[in-house]
Amino acid sequence: YEDFAQKAKKGDIVVVRKNFGSGSSRQQAVDCFKSLGVQAVIAESFGAIYERNAINAAFPILACSSIDALKLKDGDRIRVDFSTGEIQNLNNGLNVTGEKFSEVQLEIYQNGGLFCCQLLHDLLPASLIKNFLSKTKSLANNGWLFFVIHLSV
């Protein structure tokens, strides 16, 4: 894996095995993937601290114990819907379901991270935040879950 940084392409989704990120307590473990343009990491399971750091940084991760059922090969294209946990291999049409984002994880992601989420709660009236969240729509497109936000003040 010494040449991962050279091989990673913007938009890649990394698929790995069990307990990914275990022993990694530094935020840089998440930030490195973000800086390389990696869109998400899918694993059978995550180390607890890595998982918390990824959620706090609004870096999408998804646990899926049945990832082998997708019969992925290097370079396959996949579509991930974090609101349902559905993962589809676009090359062979196989689908599996992983653990969907929790409501809290989805809110943190939609707000750009825990720090941004906290700023919203500290700086904006609760009614405006509720209005913002009620007008947030999710849209799956090009193998990725995008959020279209309509905010009226």
Side-chain angles (χ1 to χ4, degrees):
Y1 306 113
E2 295 156 358
D3 58 351
F4 177 81
Q6 288 79 31
K7 289 183 176 181
K9 297 181 188 101
K10 186 175 182 177
D12 281 355
I13 296 175
V14 176
V15 179
V16 292
R17 297 285 178 191
K18 294 179 183 173
N19 213 19
F20 182 76
S22 177
S24 177
S25 64
R26 299 191 185 276
Q27 183 62 40
Q28 292 91 332
V30 173
D31 294 343
C32 288
F33 282 111
K34 290 178 78 170
S35 67
L36 289 172
V38 172
Q39 284 191 3
V41 174
I42 300 171
E44 291 178 18
S45 62
F46 291 91
I49 296 172
Y50 184 89
E51 181 175 17
R52 188 71 249 166
N53 286 342
I55 292 169
N56 290 347
F59 182 66
I61 59 170
L62 184 83
C64 181
S65 61
S66 58
I67 198 72
D68 286 340
L70 286 175
K71 299 184 179 180
L72 290 168
K73 294 180 282 187
D74 191 34
D76 278 357
R77 294 185 49 210
I78 62 176
R79 175 175 291 133
V80 182
D81 186 332
F82 293 101
S83 66
T84 65
E86 183 180 347
I87 307 166
Q88 179 184 24
N89 183 333
L90 298 175
N91 292 70
N92 62 23
L94 294 173
N95 293 303
V96 297
T97 301
E99 296 176 21
K100 67 181 183 176
F101 273 16
S102 69
E103 287 182 34
V104 172
Q105 186 178 5
L106 188 58
E107 181 182 358
I108 291 170
Y109 180 70
Q110 289 171 330
N111 288 308
L114 186 62
F115 179 71
C116 294
C117 188
Q118 187 61 49
L119 277 177
L120 278 177
H121 285 282
D122 289 347
L123 299 175
L124 299 175
S127 60
L128 183 60
I129 295 169
K130 187 175 183 179
N131 183 41
F132 169 79
L133 293 174
S134 71
K135 294 180 187 267
T136 303
K137 308 277 187 228
S138 64
L139 172 67
N141 188 7
N142 295 327
W144 185 241
L145 187 70
F146 290 98
F147 295 97
V148 180
I149 299 169
H150 305 279
L151 177 61
S152 58
V153 180

